[in-house]
Amino acid sequence: IYRRKKGFSSPFIEWLYEEYGENILKLFLEVNTHLGLFDEKYLRFLFNEGKNGQSKQHIYSLFLFCKWYKRTYL
């Protein structure tokens, strides 16, 4: 009761990669083909970083954006 606050993190990126796997990168590239906003090499880099548990927020945000864009505009 007297210890400092301690954060809690969920394994959302692990769940995302377990559920979608390589389809995450395919989604990124498909949406980027239409928009041309992102550097393809960097998207591949982020995808591989995510596999190693890095850049979690970037991957998740980009994934949600791409899912929304695909559903809304493609």
Side-chain angles (χ1 to χ4, degrees), residues 24-55:
I24 297 170
L25 180 59
K26 289 178 186 175
L27 177 65
F28 289 173
L29 297 176
E30 178 184 3
V31 169
N32 193 50
T33 298
H34 287 85
L35 290 175
L37 292 176
F38 309 106
D39 178 40
E40 185 177 321
K41 196 183 296 185
Y42 189 69
L43 290 175
R44 292 178 186 280
F45 170 77
L46 270 181
F47 175 75
N48 290 325
E49 285 282 295
K51 283 183 183 178
N52 298 324
Q54 304 295 314
S55 303

Side-chain angles (χ1 to χ4, degrees), residues 7-28:
F8 173 77
S9 64
S10 65
F12 67 89
I13 200 72
E14 289 82 2
W15 294 337
L16 189 70
Y17 274 80
E18 186 178 313
E19 181 73 24
Y20 293 97
E22 295 291 323
N23 290 325
I24 297 170
L25 180 59
K26 289 178 186 175
L27 177 65
F28 289 173

